[in-house]
Amino acid sequence: KASSRTVVSSKILATINEIRVVAGDQVEKDQILIRLDDKEYQSRLDQAKRTLDAATANREQAEKQYQRIESLSRQNAISRSEFDAASRDVQVTIAEEARARQAVTEAEVLLSYTTIKAAKAGRIVDRLAEPGDISQPGVPILVLYDATSLRLEAPVMENLAVMLRPGDQLTVFV
């Protein structure tokens, strides 16, 4: 048996648009195997980017306002509470921008899950889904077998197995 057998599945729930391989195909590491419907995830990324744009604009506006208030504060033309409020607004908008930036990163990661690549080189031995099927996280779509990592597996009776030691050499007939 192959000591290395990889079950290829999706990390997200999505419609399978394309499966580029069939059983028997040899694949290389990082070769694209499956493309899932990415419209929803592309939309999420676009929304996250627009939210980031808004958060950046809010931060820039808050910083400008803070600079104006800081200038007035040096002239003792405003109260301490107005200065503190402007300072707080800058901190809040910085935090909102950081949160929006993280949302963009998360959306990019989710979008990347719509393209499934081979984790290693090998041969496709089983294709368990077809385009149009719904992929579910953890449910196998393909099985990849690495023929370079074959090993012999054989049942051994218990009374004989206790006599075996690591490094023992045995003769095997196939």
Side-chain angles (χ1 to χ4, degrees):
K1 288 186 176 180
S3 62
S4 177
R5 178 179 169 269
T6 304
V7 175
V8 178
S9 63
S10 170
K11 291 184 178 183
I12 58 173
L13 183 69
T15 302
I16 299 171
N17 280 351
E18 177 184 18
I19 300 178
R20 295 184 170 188
V21 293
V22 295
D25 286 354
Q26 184 68 32
V27 299
E28 299 302 319
K29 182 178 181 356
D30 292 327
Q31 179 179 334
I32 295 174
L33 304 176
I34 302 163
R35 286 205 184 273
L36 304 176
D37 182 16
D38 67 352
K39 286 190 240 35
E40 175 186 350
Y41 298 98
Q42 186 63 55
S43 176
R44 286 184 188 184
L45 177 58
D46 292 344
Q47 289 174 12
K49 285 180 178 179
R50 296 304 74 78
T51 301
L52 176 59
D53 291 345
T56 301
N58 286 341
R59 178 196 44 83
E60 290 170 354
Q61 178 61 33
E63 286 174 345
K64 288 176 187 174
Q65 181 67 13
Y66 175 77
Q67 289 169 357
R68 285 191 286 270
I69 288 183
E70 185 180 38
S71 174
L72 292 172
S73 174
R74 278 182 267 163
Q75 300 168 13
N76 291 326
I78 62 161
S79 69
R80 180 70 186 169
S81 65
E82 288 176 297
F83 178 79
D84 290 344
S87 177
R88 184 203 68 231
D89 288 347
V90 169
Q91 295 304 314
V92 167
T93 58
I94 288 172
E96 287 172 352
E97 184 180 27
R99 183 174 55 217
R101 198 174 310 285
Q102 285 298 320
V104 168
T105 302
E106 180 182 358
E108 288 171 341
V109 169
L110 286 172
L111 182 60
S112 76
Y113 293 159
T114 63
T115 300
I116 301 173
K117 298 179 180 180
K120 60 178 123 184
R123 184 170 306 280
I124 301 296
V125 293
D126 213 353
R127 180 171 156 164
L128 306 166
E130 295 298 326
D133 290 351
I134 303 293
S135 69
Q136 297 179 37
V139 175
I141 299 172
L142 299 170
V143 178
L144 181 67
Y145 169 91
D146 182 4
T148 63
S149 64
L150 295 177
R151 66 179 180 200
L152 175 68
E153 291 183 10
V156 178
M157 292 187 299
E158 190 176 323
N159 63 336
L160 296 175
V162 294
M163 293 187 277
L164 294 175
R165 300 284 176 256
D168 285 355
Q169 291 190 5
L170 304 172
T171 303
V172 178
F173 298 96
V174 179

